[in-house]
Amino acid sequence: MQPSQNLQIDAKRLWDSLMQTAQIGATPKGGICRLTLTDLDRQVRDWFKTQCEALGCSVTVDEVGNMFARRPGKDPALLPIAMGSHLDTQPTGGKFDGVLGVLGALEAMRTLHDLGYETNAPIEIVNWTNEEGSRYAPAMLASGVFAGVFTPEYAYSRLDRDGKRFGDELDRIGYKGGAKAGAHKFGAMFELHIEQGPILEAEDRMIGVVQGVQGMRWYEVTVVGQEAHTGATPMRLRKNALLGSARMIERIDAIANEHAPDAVGATGLIENRPNSRNVVPGEVFFTVDFRHPDDKVLDAMETKFRASLAEILIPLRLTYQEARIWDSPAVKFAPELIDCVRKGAEKSGFTSRDIISGAGHDAAYIARVAPTTMIFVPCLGGISHNEAESTSFDECAAGAQVLLNAVLEFDRRLG
Ligand code: HGY
Ligand code: MN
Ligand code: MN
């Protein structure tokens, strides 16, 4: 006889786990720096594996480090229902981005275990490697391999800014698993995540019923000028790579604003060489991040961006290389799973509203190979990718409860 259908997660146990894992890579300002494939990533992975095994889950790791903790269901022939997100962070990340999705799933699994609730389908928690794309670009790299967007060899070849290979670092931390990425299929994947924007808080809604993820493109630009003495070189003879880059960064902002309010654009990473106060910069590397819900608008932004490179840099006697290194088209999530989330919010009496994700998530790639959707909860001031990122005890609990409700709603429909 199944216990009461009203399975309630343990909000304090969830919060304690969030605060415990926040110590792994804790920064003085109250955030987390736990870059993918570092020793800190290994530490949190080991912790996560131990927690899942304590619930009787079997934990497998695939060839790009994705971790799967599986709890059997009544019918092993049914494809598993997955609940996934990521444990890696930005260099100045917060306590909740990604982590809430993995630990909210762990709390849901703990609740099923405590109550001895038997689901129809197996249930899996997934920790996706390198979601952030901060240390290794592009973002969502390992869920992209799982979805067949990238090869494992491409992932292994990616270099961080110190020249370390993804494949070597994955090996070094002991998480290069034997399972073929994407070999095992999901019946569904639900991802709980903080919104990372201001909408839910502004409208006083507890749950975001996510409809999809906007399109995202990343570019890398190297501008080449000529190193020269800042005192002895006349202005008319200079080839100042940093001046050209600065004008480009201004133009990137202008292109996004021309397509506002839905377009966004920024340069987040810049390296100026030789970065000496009395040398005219000879070479600059910088990145571009453009996003919009409509891929056709991204095409228009890209065209303007590329025309601007020639228009701005050539008159300054500069040369340049530019490459689009990532193109993640806009994604729509599975209507049936969206309905499970909506019913999951109603069941617990939480307010909700439909929303499109501005941020990228592993769910965007998994949606290519399995019915997928997301659940958002607010974050204070909409701030994320910032050590001040803050989601409350009640909001974390609400997210985990709706995650459990939605998974069980989907599972019941299989019975
Ligand atoms: O870039 C993103 O949107 C995500 O945080 N990786
Ligand atoms: Mn995230
Ligand atoms: Mn992030």
Side-chain angles (χ1 to χ4, degrees), residues 93 104 129:
T129 305

Side-chain angles (χ1 to χ4, degrees), residues 100-221:
L100 178 60
V102 177
L103 299 195
L106 177 64
E107 178 48 39
M109 197 75 104
R110 283 169 169 166
T111 303
L112 295 175
H113 178 265
D114 291 349
L115 295 171
Y117 186 95
E118 238 196 331
T119 53
N120 294 308
I123 305 292
E124 289 192 9
I125 309 173
V126 189
N127 169 33
W128 299 109
T129 305
N130 191 49
E131 187 282 337
E132 288 295 354
S134 174
R135 183 180 182 195
Y136 291 104
M140 302 131 61
L141 183 55
S143 54
V145 173
F146 183 92
V149 177
F150 308 114
T151 63
E153 293 68 31
Y154 170 77
Y156 296 151
S157 73
R158 303 304 288 161
L159 299 176
D160 67 11
R161 298 310 291 169
D162 298 323
K164 288 189 181 161
R165 279 179 81 255
F166 177 101
D168 298 340
E169 287 292 280
L170 182 68
D171 240 346
R172 186 183 66 80
I173 69 165
Y175 273 92
K176 187 174 185 180
K180 181 94 191 87
H184 85 270
K185 304 300 173 201
F186 296 144
M189 189 186 87
F190 294 84
E191 180 169 3
L192 167 63
H193 206 286
I194 57 172
E195 177 200 337
Q196 300 182 291
I199 296 170
L200 292 177
E201 182 187 61
E203 296 182 11
D204 195 19
R205 303 293 174 93
M206 181 63 93
I207 298 294
V209 182
V210 189
Q211 307 297 305
V213 178
Q214 69 177 342
M216 304 172 280
R217 291 186 190 171
W218 285 3
Y219 306 80
E220 291 181 349
V221 181

Side-chain angles (χ1 to χ4, degrees), residues 309-365:
L309 287 166
E311 182 199 323
I312 288 173
L313 301 178
I314 293 174
L316 291 174
R317 300 178 295 284
L318 300 170
T319 59
Y320 62 92
Q321 290 101 35
E322 172 273 326
R324 187 174 73 197
I325 64 137
W326 188 39
D327 177 5
S328 176
V331 168
K332 290 201 182 317
F333 288 142
E336 188 197 357
L337 272 62
I338 290 173
D339 183 55
C340 291
V341 170
R342 212 184 299 286
K343 294 219 171 24
E346 286 161 9
K347 181 182 174 75
S348 294
F350 295 123
T351 56
S352 69
R353 65 99 87 191
D354 290 4
I355 192 168
I356 297 271
S357 178
H361 302 285
D362 295 305
Y365 276 149

Side-chain angles (χ1 to χ4, degrees), residues 256-313:
N257 277 302
E258 280 166 33
H259 296 275
D262 293 333
V264 289
T267 284
L269 188 160
I270 184 165
E271 290 168 352
N272 177 50
R273 302 184 186 99
N275 219 31
S276 168
R277 65 190 70 221
N278 47 1
V279 177
V280 175
E283 182 176 294
V284 173
F285 170 88
F286 66 84
T287 62
V288 183
D289 179 334
F290 278 142
R291 306 194 194 195
H292 193 280
D294 180 346
D295 295 329
K296 285 193 291 307
V297 174
L298 280 175
D299 289 340
M301 292 168 74
E302 180 175 283
T303 303
K304 286 179 189 170
F305 161 62
R306 286 178 167 163
S308 300
L309 287 166
E311 182 199 323
I312 288 173
L313 301 178

Side-chain angles (χ1 to χ4, degrees), residues 372-395:
T372 299
T373 200
M374 295 187 75
I375 301 159
F376 277 175
V377 289
C379 50
L380 189 64
I383 296 292
S384 181
H385 284 193
N386 182 315
E387 291 160 286
E389 179 184 279
S390 176
T391 292
S392 73
F393 178 97
D394 290 343
E395 290 162 340

Side-chain angles (χ1 to χ4, degrees), residues 59-77:
V59 178
T60 55
V61 182
D62 75 12
E63 60 193 328
V64 285
N66 296 317
M67 300 174 76
F68 307 87
R70 183 187 184 99
R71 180 176 190 261
K74 279 182 229 161
D75 182 352

Side-chain angles (χ1 to χ4, degrees), residues 24-25 32-36 86-94 97 99 132 134-135:
I24 304 174
I32 303 179
C33 177
R34 189 168 63 222
L35 297 182
T36 197
H86 62 93
L87 292 171
D88 65 315
T89 74
Q90 288 286 333
T92 53
D97 174 2
V99 186
E132 288 295 354
S134 174
R135 183 180 182 195

